[in-house]
Amino acid sequence: MKRLRRNVNDSAIAWNLAALSHCLTEAADLAQRASKAMSGGNRNLAIGTIVDLNRNLAQAHALYTVSIELHRSKPVSKKGGAA
């Protein structure tokens, strides 16, 4: 049962980290497009581009938090690490 739980936690962490990577990539893309718009003198487009960025960041934070909590719920080692 311990091995099954570890495998489930590891799978969940892996999926959460993949989703986190996707969220942060999207956020970085929005920021880059906003910066380019601002460099081109288009402040309205720049701000309009990032206005919903808080949704990406909130989702990224939630995925980060879940990944950390899953790790802590079943540490790989009791000798140290991030647990």
Side-chain angles (χ1 to χ4, degrees):
M1 187 63 156
K2 284 184 179 182
R3 183 176 172 89
L4 176 62
R5 181 174 174 190
R6 180 173 179 204
N7 288 341
V8 169
N9 279 10
D10 286 352
S11 294
I13 290 169
W15 282 104
N16 276 293
L17 292 176
L20 174 60
S21 177
H22 180 74
C23 283
L24 293 175
T25 298
E26 285 184 349
D29 181 58
L30 288 174
Q32 186 175 34
R33 288 192 286 144
S35 180
K36 186 176 180 179
M38 194 64 197
S39 293
N42 195 338
R43 183 170 65 176
N44 285 335
L45 178 60
I47 298 304
T49 301
I50 62 163
V51 75
D52 289 330
L53 188 60
N54 61 333
R55 184 179 36 171
N56 291 74
L57 297 176
Q59 186 177 21
H61 186 261
L63 290 163
Y64 162 80
T65 301
V66 168
S67 296
I68 296 298
E69 291 305 317
L70 283 168
H71 170 70
R72 288 179 177 162
S73 72
K74 184 62 178 172
V76 174
S77 170
K78 293 185 185 261
K79 292 182 180 179

